[in-house]
Amino acid sequence: MSENIESVLHEERVFQPPQAFAAEARLNGESLSALHRQAAEDYEGFWAERAREEISWQTPFSTILDESDAPHYRWFTDGQINVSYNCLDRHLAERGDKTAIVFEGEPGDVRKYTYRELHAEVCQFANALKAQGIRKGDRVVIYMPMIAEAVIAMQACARIGATHSVVFGGFSAEALRDRVNDAGARMIITADGGHRGAKIVPLKAAVDEAIEHGTPSVEKVIVFERTRHGVPMVESRDVRWQDAIAGQPQACEPEWVDAEHPLFLLYTSGSTGKPKGIQHSSAGYLLQAILTNKWVFDLHDRDVFWCTADVGWITGHTYVAYGPLALGATQVIYEGAPTVPDGGRFWKLAAEHAVTVFYTAPTAIRALMKLGDAFPQGHDLSRLRLLGTVGEPINPEAWMWYHRVIGGERCPIVDTWWQTETGGHMIAPIPGAVATKPGSCTLALPGILADVVDEQGNTITEADRGGYLVIRKPWPSMLRTVWGDDERYRKTYWGMFDGRFYLAGDSARRDADGYFWIMGRIDDVLNVSGHRLGTMEIESALVAHEAVAEAAVVGRPHDVKGEAIVAYVILRGERPTGTDADAMTKTLRDWVAKEIGPIAKPDDIRFTEGLPKTRSGKIMRRLLRSIAKGEVITSDISTLENEAVIAQLQGKA
Ligand code: ATP
Ligand code: MG
């Protein structure tokens, strides 16, 4: 049996950085090489120089990297900063009147905040938090809709040194309670509700339910009135946001904290098991947020940036709440669903707010692609100059659609590989310097020593042989630990290779140009007749067929082959049944055999109208595996949009 993961996908298209783009980009081939050279020659010196250049320090650091408690690495330890100061105060002199946030609610209400206004609101709310008894080091859970106040709450926590933990507003009361208790939060900041999918998400009701079921650490709940649908308030525990800020001054001296002070905890999305409370630092985290917004998104003062991620995910931290503000950029925040009132909402928003840099997830791209080209073509997207994707490997077909229909064949696409744990982008193209290939996240950023290794930890030098994606050296924005569970941190990320390097948990390969291709999760690797295959490549082959909108592939135990390949497929049109389904199955099996080889041919294809996804839009292959095996579903399926889909997936409907 081969121990490496085999590659079956062959993608040959290459797109050079457009000349017009490269000419104005912050980094070009030469300056990028210089950064890589410096990182290779003097790793710590490279990071120290970046940290001194990019961050405003209250007390400068003298220690760069402290390895005394490895793998709990510490960076810039004796320096002191405040993250909110770096995001707001330092812009006031030059950019006080510049728009920081353009907020649009799902019902269409728009509000703009200049840097001066945002600073005043953050200070005022920070004072309100203090008045409610919140101090440096306290944990505060934020359970909000995607509105500007969510960012204000995060920034206010950062300002006073409270550690926030944002829980995605789509999560249930039960999920909220688990996270509140794991973090030991003293306060929950929420809203009466939020607008999503033309409905009201009843956030306050979920908070009440969570507290009813036991959250001993929670003393106070602050409630922002967004939907104003009238929610019951519990006396002495619940405070209206508007009441909390009343009479509070709009200035608040930042609390200077150590570089290592925990800025936030964030629970991972749970694609692979029990969520982990990922703990991030202040300075190291901020540094990567700044660098990647400059390097990868090439943000200039004139740009309008829009990252569609919710603040409940890491992407909404680094590329909404912190990074763009630290750069003094203008950004769009949108509260609602991409399909309200119709599938053109994203494109209408992008056109109306003159968005220049747009960042979203493959799941959204595939969903919008399925709705056809007419929606994007109905809006003026000519201001766009750069597109990005994150969250899953993007299938080459979806990449090409994004490139052609959204980017007008003129915008580079940055496919950014990173994780909650890494704090910021790790592997991604520098758009003015690195050629892109559909489906590849290209090359590691300066200072990030990403590699693909075999089970023994040896670098795989052979092109296109898959293995374990690792990072060979600690970097400033890495997670510091799993909250309250150091053992789990050491075991999960450093256990497999005896602490020698960080294990990402993804499988990947590198092509002859050294480009990285993510093949899927290690846990999802299939073993078919002794061949180890990533799920991603087979899914991409299926999506490349004109009839297919989305596909998910999992293994099912098989007596002879070890595992059989089961594919769940959503077609662009109607879900076929009977002989139509049989004919389509044959077509797709032949297609995969021709595209990537007979070894990858699905044994079983099941047509469905939906796939089980995590709330961040990732396919839950864990659940699909159980279904493929014919197991009874015992895990929580309450997060599914359409539970009837389970019956379809099981072949019962
Ligand atoms: P959990 O760790 O609880 O299972 P999660 O891994 O889904 O949750 P995140 O940290 O949000 O939570 O996601 C990181 C993962 O997303 C990566 O490990 C990788 O599998 C996938 N991913 C993110 N960006 C990309 C990308 N550009 N290309 C391929 N995969 C990506
Ligand atoms: Mg993960």
Side-chain angles (χ1 to χ4, degrees):
M1 200 207 291
S2 65
E3 66 168 30
N4 294 314
I5 301 156
E6 295 175 41
S7 170
V8 286
L9 181 80
H10 306 287
E11 174 55 60
E12 305 286 343
R13 290 169 284 202
V14 180
F15 295 84
Q16 296 301 329
Q19 253 169 24
F21 187 100
E24 304 216 329
R26 280 183 183 263
L27 284 185
N28 57 27
E30 216 170 292
S31 48
L32 177 61
S33 303
L35 286 170
H36 279 300
R37 213 174 314 117
Q38 189 192 4
E41 284 163 7
D42 175 13
Y43 187 72
E44 290 186 29
F46 165 84
W47 282 115
E49 191 175 322
R50 302 285 86 69
R52 292 193 181 104
E53 274 172 9
E54 304 292 353
I55 292 177
S56 303
W57 294 87
Q58 174 70 2
T59 313
F61 61 90
S62 57
T63 309
I64 305 169
L65 171 61
D66 174 359
E67 301 187 272
S68 60
D69 190 24
H72 299 276
Y73 296 97
R74 290 187 287 254
W75 287 85
F76 319 123
T77 40
D78 52 350
Q80 288 206 314
I81 67 161
N82 180 278
V83 171
S84 163
Y85 177 91
N86 274 271
C87 293
L88 300 170
D89 307 49
R90 66 167 169 171
H91 306 308
L92 293 183
E94 274 178 35
R95 297 190 187 85
D97 297 322
K98 180 177 174 181
T99 302
I101 292 175
V102 182
F103 167 74
E104 183 164 327
E106 196 181 76
D109 51 316
V110 174
R111 185 172 164 199
K112 295 185 182 181
Y113 300 73
T114 64
Y115 271 91
R116 202 180 316 288
E117 288 162 348
L118 188 63
H119 175 262
E121 296 222 7
V122 167
C123 284
Q124 193 172 36
F125 192 62
N127 286 324
L129 291 177
K130 287 202 279 192
Q132 297 295 328
I134 297 301
R135 298 280 171 269
K136 177 178 167 186
D138 286 343
R139 270 85 59 212
V140 172
V141 161
I142 298 175
Y143 184 65
M144 298 274 278
M146 189 57 190
I147 57 179
E149 284 74 15
V151 173
I152 292 173
M154 293 163 82
Q155 286 282 342
C157 286
R159 195 156 190 95
I160 65 171
T163 299
H164 62 67
S165 176
V166 182
V167 176
F168 174 53
F171 276 137
S172 65
E174 199 52 32
L176 171 64
R177 191 183 71 115
D178 288 348
R179 287 161 175 76
V180 166
N181 288 340
D182 192 78
R186 290 187 64 198
M187 175 185 274
I188 302 176
I189 303 172
T190 189
D192 46 1
H195 298 284
R196 174 112 198 153
K199 292 194 199 88
I200 287 180
V201 183
L203 296 167
K204 172 64 163 58
V207 170
D208 290 342
E209 191 185 330
I211 295 178
E212 224 162 85
H213 291 169
T215 52
S217 57
V218 174
E219 295 162 26
K220 292 273 177 195
V221 177
I222 294 189
V223 185
F224 181 80
E225 288 181 330
R226 165 71 186 143
T227 49
R228 298 180 185 273
H229 64 293
V231 294
M233 298 287 277
V234 175
E235 242 201 88
S236 82
R237 186 197 75 189
D238 299 349
V239 187
R240 290 169 67 239
W241 174 297
Q242 287 83 344
D243 293 338
I245 59 173
Q248 294 295 342
Q250 296 198 324
C252 172
E253 186 59 21
E255 177 86 34
W256 304 108
V257 299
D258 293 342
E260 282 294 307
H261 181 74
L263 177 66
F264 65 87
L265 311 179
L266 183 64
Y267 290 82
T268 57
S269 66
S271 315
T272 51
K274 179 180 179 286
K276 305 175 272 278
I278 302 302
Q279 179 182 324
H280 276 288
S281 69
S282 292
Y285 169 78
L286 178 66
L287 180 57
Q288 195 72 359
I290 295 174
L291 289 174
T292 52
N293 274 284
K294 281 192 170 172
W295 291 347
V296 181
F297 291 136
D298 190 51
L299 285 189
H300 288 73
D301 234 350
R302 59 181 181 273
D303 277 311
V304 178
F305 179 58
W306 181 20
C307 162
T308 68
D310 190 277
V311 285
W313 313 120
I314 187 70
T315 308
H317 284 56
T318 311
Y319 302 103
V320 179
Y322 292 112
L325 296 178
L327 255 63
T330 297
Q331 69 174 320
V332 172
I333 292 180
Y334 170 57
E335 176 184 31
T339 46
V340 174
D342 60 40
R345 186 64 182 270
F346 267 14
W347 317 126
K348 183 164 183 278
L349 270 150
E352 283 180 1
H353 300 299
V355 171
T356 58
V357 181
F358 178 72
Y359 190 35
T360 195
T363 179
I365 298 169
R366 288 191 302 263
L368 294 168
M369 176 169 93
K370 189 178 177 222
L371 301 178
D373 297 0
F375 282 120
Q377 281 164 356
H379 299 279
D380 176 10
L381 300 177
S382 64
R383 298 290 296 274
L384 288 172
R385 64 179 199 92
L386 178 64
L387 303 173
T389 108
V390 60
E392 284 180 291
I394 179 163
N395 323 98
E397 277 320 295
W399 196 103
M400 287 306 298
W401 183 83
Y402 202 26
H403 167 73
R404 194 168 47 76
V405 180
I406 307 305
E409 297 182 354
R410 107 198 137 255
C411 304
I413 295 179
V414 289
D415 176 353
T416 59
W417 178 86
W418 61 297
Q419 312 175 287
T420 308
E421 294 88 339
T422 67
H425 302 154
M426 296 281 105
I427 309 179
I430 302 295
V434 174
T436 54
K437 305 182 186 185
S440 168
C441 49
T442 76
L443 303 168
L445 298 179
I448 303 300
L449 277 76
D451 200 1
V452 178
V453 302
D454 64 18
E455 319 245 305
Q456 282 74 48
N458 301 312
T459 296
I460 295 178
T461 48
E462 197 182 330
D464 296 327
R465 274 236 156 261
Y468 299 88
L469 181 60
V470 300
I471 301 176
R472 303 193 76 94
K473 267 181 188 288
W475 66 102
S477 69
M478 63 190 291
L479 77 164
R480 296 310 193 250
T481 190
V482 172
W483 178 258
D485 199 347
D486 288 348
E487 179 56 29
R488 190 169 181 202
Y489 166 74
R490 287 191 290 263
K491 224 175 113 216
T492 309
Y493 304 106
W494 302 91
M496 180 163 178
F497 298 107
D498 308 318
R500 279 184 297 155
F501 25 73
Y502 170 87
L503 178 74
D506 288 342
S507 55
R509 66 179 167 94
R510 269 194 287 183
D511 67 16
D513 296 325
Y515 276 41
F516 287 85
W517 298 75
I518 307 295
M519 300 169 79
R521 311 283 179 132
I522 294 174
D523 298 348
D524 292 334
V525 170
L526 306 172
N527 200 327
V528 183
S529 309
H531 297 275
R532 306 211 318 141
L533 307 172
T535 47
M536 149 69 185
E537 300 192 327
I538 307 172
E539 289 164 6
S540 285
L542 285 164
V543 174
H545 190 280
E546 59 184 11
V548 176
E550 184 149 30
V553 164
V554 295
R556 163 166 57 75
H558 186 279
D559 290 345
V560 182
K561 301 204 285 189
E563 273 186 303
I565 300 173
V566 182
Y568 294 90
V569 171
I570 304 177
L571 295 185
R572 283 185 190 233
E574 296 270 287
R575 173 174 172 249
T577 50
T579 51
D580 288 347
D582 294 343
M584 196 45 152
T585 299
K586 182 172 183 325
T587 305
L588 292 180
R589 281 168 46 92
D590 291 347
W591 168 264
V592 172
K594 183 175 106 333
E595 283 287 290
I596 57 180
I599 181 72
K601 200 162 148 173
D603 295 83
D604 205 350
I605 295 183
R606 296 187 193 168
F607 297 101
T608 172
E609 280 157 7
L611 289 167
K613 294 200 177 158
T614 65
R615 288 300 183 122
S616 58
K618 296 179 194 186
I619 297 164
M620 255 179 160
R621 292 192 189 74
R622 201 160 31 106
L623 184 60
L624 287 175
R625 259 199 303 272
S626 302
I627 294 172
K629 280 190 215 158
E631 290 173 359
V632 180
I633 306 303
T634 51
S635 55
D636 184 13
I637 55 166
S638 62
T639 57
L640 288 184
E641 279 169 357
N642 171 9
E643 283 190 32
V645 134
I646 292 286
Q648 283 180 13
L649 295 167
Q650 290 170 322
K652 290 183 192 154

